[in-house]
Structures are given as C-alpha cells and as structure tokens.
Amino acid sequence: MRTALLQSSGRPGSTVENLKVLDEAAGRAAAAGAGLLVAPEMFLTGYAIGDDIARLAEPADGDCADAIAETATRHGLAIAYGYPERAGDTVLNSAQLISAEGTRLANYRKTHLFGCFERDHFTPGDRQVVQAELDGLRVGILICYDVEFPENVRAHALAGTDLLLVPTAQMHPFQFVAESMIPVRAFENQMYVAYVNRVGQEGEFEFVGLSTLAGPDGVARTRAGRGEELVFADVDPAFLAASREANPYLKDRRPGLYGSLV
C-alpha cells in the first residue's frame, strides 16, 4: 500500500484552513497512487495553541471528522490525522483513521503525555493497542511520545500490527528519535512504522520534521527534510511476511523472565 506522509504544521488555530491543507494533500497523494495519507499530531487545530485546544476540541464524530470523511471519499484514500478530542468535560490528544469510504475505523487517545504543556491541557488515554484492518493490513496507532516506550510498540507487535502510524510533534533537540529510534522500533518489532511530524517554530516549540516510514529491516523507505513536504513510501505485505519469517525476535522471547519489568 502506497502511503503518503504529510509533514506540515498546517495553520495553527484554524480548523478551516487545516481542512483545506489536508484536502489539497489528499488530492496530491491520491494522484500519486497512495491508499493512505497520514498527518501529524494535533494537525486539525495546531499544537501550541494554549487554551484554544479546549475551545477547538471536538468529539470523534464531530463536524471536522465528517469533513475529513468527505475528503477521504472524494479522493478515494484513507486518512489518519491528529486532533484534540472532546469527551464530555475531558480533552484528549487523539488520532483518528478514516477509510476511503468515509468510515471511522479507529480512534486512539495518547497514553503517555509529554511535558507540562500536554499534562496541563490533556487527560491521558488508557487503551494501549488500537487497531483497524485496512487493505489487508492490520494498522495500529500511537502518538509521538508513546512510541518512545518500547512496551507500547512491543504490545502492538504481539497484537499483530503490520503498520504502526505515529502522528507526532517531535521537537528540537530530540531529532534522534526520528533518525535512529524509529528504524530500530520497526526492526525489533518486525513492522512498518510511519512517523509523521510537524515543522518549524510554533510557540515555544521548534518542530524538526524528518518524517519517515521505516521497514521491518530497519531501513527508512522515505525521509523528509526540515520543511513542509509530502513524501511517499510503499508498505509491502510480502516483504513483511518474509522478514518476520527470517527474524526470530518475537519467536525467541522468554516472557517468563520479564516479570520484574512491570
């Protein structure tokens, strides 16, 4: 499945403009043969927007989700995007996957909040593994800091995730995560990992770009630079199956030895 990574910070504070950016990217991605477009963490509203996070937060089935479903249907590809989710009085840092038919397939709530900014504005989610079936692949979702905890990615591996989507807001000076950690996560867990970042200065944060899709061999299939960019890579189920057969990590585990870790 050809996968498009939208490296962009959109227009912080404007869901209207960000829906337009997403629609334009979906058109380009579909024209290039992509079946899936992945946008960064909090793409719908912007990340460093303070109290506007709560003001702009919507339910998972809100108006913006309907608009993105229409975009997905019109362009004929699935879309994953980050947004602030309102659930009653609670606001969560979430990511949603919508199919090419406009169906909401999966909604994940970030479980590991990073820093005071996120802890001040969000409630953490409590479900570690969220998955959906998409074009014969089992697709899972984590958000940014979540992927830096090896337990999270291993849980996805044990649950059979083939492609892990990671909308992110990775900031300076932590670019080594995109450069080094993501390919290692893909290799040690025998999956594809799509890590899709914001770019540029936003409030107090400098986002570093470097979005990548890494394969189960630990090799980056594509890597963006530091600016706004739409990059593409293919997720190959046959290659994934062969890699899993050749790599014994998951088969050679000895869980009985790991009890002290939890």
Side-chain angles (χ1 to χ4, degrees):
M1 179 174 64
R2 177 147 264 232
T3 302
L5 314 183
L6 174 59
Q7 180 168 284
S8 172
S9 287
R11 308 294 179 266
S14 175
T15 56
V16 172
E17 291 301 315
N18 289 328
L19 288 171
K20 291 178 181 177
V21 172
L22 194 63
D23 183 76
E24 189 272 338
R28 287 192 287 146
L36 170 64
L37 171 67
V38 187
E41 180 178 6
M42 292 286 287
F43 181 78
L44 185 60
T45 60
Y47 181 91
I49 58 172
D51 291 340
D52 280 347
I53 290 173
R55 182 178 66 83
L56 295 174
E58 288 191 3
D61 60 354
D63 291 343
C64 287
D66 289 343
I68 293 170
E70 191 279 329
T71 294
T73 302
R74 180 159 36 84
H75 293 293
L77 82 172
I79 298 175
Y81 65 99
Y83 74 107
E85 179 188 357
R86 179 166 293 286
D89 294 331
T90 300
V91 177
L92 306 107
N93 185 335
S94 298
Q96 183 151 235
L97 174 64
I98 295 178
S99 76
E101 293 74 38
T103 302
R104 294 190 302 110
L105 297 178
N107 188 67
Y108 171 77
R109 296 165 169 177
K110 190 174 186 178
T111 55
H112 294 69
L113 302 180
F114 179 78
C116 295
F117 178 84
E118 290 193 5
R119 288 192 288 271
D120 286 345
H121 289 92
F122 299 108
T123 297
D126 57 8
R127 186 177 173 193
Q128 186 181 37
V129 176
V130 172
Q131 298 171 311
E133 297 296 322
L134 183 67
D135 292 346
L137 294 169
R138 185 169 295 181
V139 177
I141 307 173
L142 293 175
I143 299 175
C144 197
Y145 194 39
D146 289 327
V147 81
E148 298 177 36
F149 292 81
E151 299 89 346
N152 284 337
V153 189
R154 181 52 53 89
H156 270 277
L158 296 175
T161 293
D162 300 314
L163 169 61
L164 183 62
L165 309 182
V166 189
T168 192
Q170 182 63 69
M171 56 199 69
H172 178 81
F174 306 110
Q175 48 265 35
F176 69 88
V177 174
E179 294 170 335
S180 301
M181 185 181 290
I182 295 305
V184 170
R185 286 284 181 270
F187 178 72
E188 68 189 3
N189 291 288
Q190 288 299 291
M191 62 176 62
Y192 286 91
V193 180
Y195 186 80
V196 188
N197 201 8
R198 305 179 70 83
V199 291
Q201 195 73 35
E202 193 176 327
E204 63 186 286
F205 307 112
E206 179 190 349
F207 299 114
V208 299
L210 302 175
S211 299
T212 189
L213 194 151
D217 53 359
V219 175
R221 298 300 192 271
T222 188
R223 188 181 295 282
R226 297 295 188 98
E228 301 256 338
E229 207 169 339
L230 184 68
V231 297
F232 298 86
D234 293 325
V235 174
D236 183 349
F239 182 85
L240 178 59
S243 181
R244 286 173 169 172
E245 183 64 30
N247 189 301
Y249 275 155
L250 298 182
K251 289 181 288 188
D252 288 351
R253 292 172 65 252
R254 297 181 62 193
L257 298 178
Y258 311 148
S260 63
L261 297 178
V262 295

